[in-house]
Amino acid sequence: MKTRIRFTKTGSMKFIGHLDCMRFFQKAFRRAGLDVAYSQGYSPHQLMSFASPLGVGVTSDGEYLDVEFYSLPDMPLPDLIAHMNRFMTEEIFVTGFEIMPDGFKNSMSLLRAADYVIVEKRPGVFPENWRESWEQFAAQPSIRVVKKSKKTETELDIKPHILAQAFTVEAFSQTTGQDYGVIHCEYMEADKEAGTLYLQLTSGSSVNIKPELVMEAFFAFCGWECPPFSCQVHRLQMYFAAPDKKEEAHG
């Protein structure tokens, strides 16, 4: 039985890397007494995979985890979510659970886009008159950057991959059609005057645009220096292609 689990990762858990996050879920499922499926062979492991692992320091309200179970407790899904959360923490907890159809491809292969909010940790980090500067930056015919990996450097036009943008959650919700509910990004609550920028970016195995890359290009455009760790990146939601219609997406 294949399932897709949506969860939140916030607070101090943003410093926990991907492998430790996976171990957290493995232990939580065992403590919850769930009948998780295991691989075969000499070193069996729980059958689970993440749609797009978070970088260290990034928080999220919209993470997705694929898990295969041999069976599930006979209870309504809201009760099952509540049962799992008894073995989670206040900073990592399950917010959604879906049983997937036969032949389901893993979420990593279906991922197409993701929504983010970038928040100043203190006012003044963003350039002066940054909203006007952003509109000029986004209006360019192309936005060329050098995307670096461990082995290669690739020049890329990221403008087609900035799918939506807004300065407020209300405007962003109207554009994306999403109701984000409570956003668990600590700096939004800590200082209401801090600048916030909402972005929907292309994500997935073929093209994956990180908000940090976009912000580096924006700050370079403004001739403004951004001190390390001065902005909080928070993922709001991911979108996946429908298995039978690759151009259709849903979260």
Side-chain angles (χ1 to χ4, degrees), residues 114 116 118 126-127 133-134 137-138 140 143-147 156-165 197-203 208-222 226 231 233:
Y116 298 90
I118 299 95
F126 286 0
S133 297
W134 173 266
F137 170 76
Q140 297 177 99
I143 304 173
R144 305 204 69 84
V145 301
V146 175
K147 187 179 180 186
L156 176 69
D157 180 9
I158 61 173
K159 183 180 172 87
H161 302 292
I162 303 175
L163 308 177
Q165 55 192 302
L197 175 65
Y198 295 84
L199 296 174
Q200 184 177 100
L201 304 174
T202 300
S203 298
N208 189 58
I209 303 300
K210 294 183 178 181
E212 295 90 342
L213 181 66
V214 178
M215 296 307 290
E216 286 175 10
F218 172 53
F219 277 74
F221 172 82
C222 297
C226 180
C231 297
V233 176

Side-chain angles (χ1 to χ4, degrees), residues 171-186:
F172 197 56
S173 294
Q174 290 178 1
T175 302
T176 62
Q178 288 285 339
D179 179 6
Y180 298 104
V182 177
I183 298 176
H184 298 90
C185 183
E186 57 191 306

Side-chain angles (χ1 to χ4, degrees), residues 52-74:
S52 180
L54 280 179
V56 174
V58 180
T59 54
S60 177
D61 282 323
E63 294 306 285
Y64 287 88
L65 169 65
D66 296 338
V67 185
E68 190 167 344
F69 295 92
Y70 292 122
S71 63
L72 287 170
D74 185 15

Side-chain angles (χ1 to χ4, degrees), residues 86-103:
R86 283 196 285 271
F87 302 91
M88 305 285 175
T89 74
E90 293 182 351
E91 295 179 332
I92 294 187
F93 56 91
V94 174
T95 58
F97 189 96
E98 185 178 2
I99 298 174
M100 307 309 293
D102 293 339

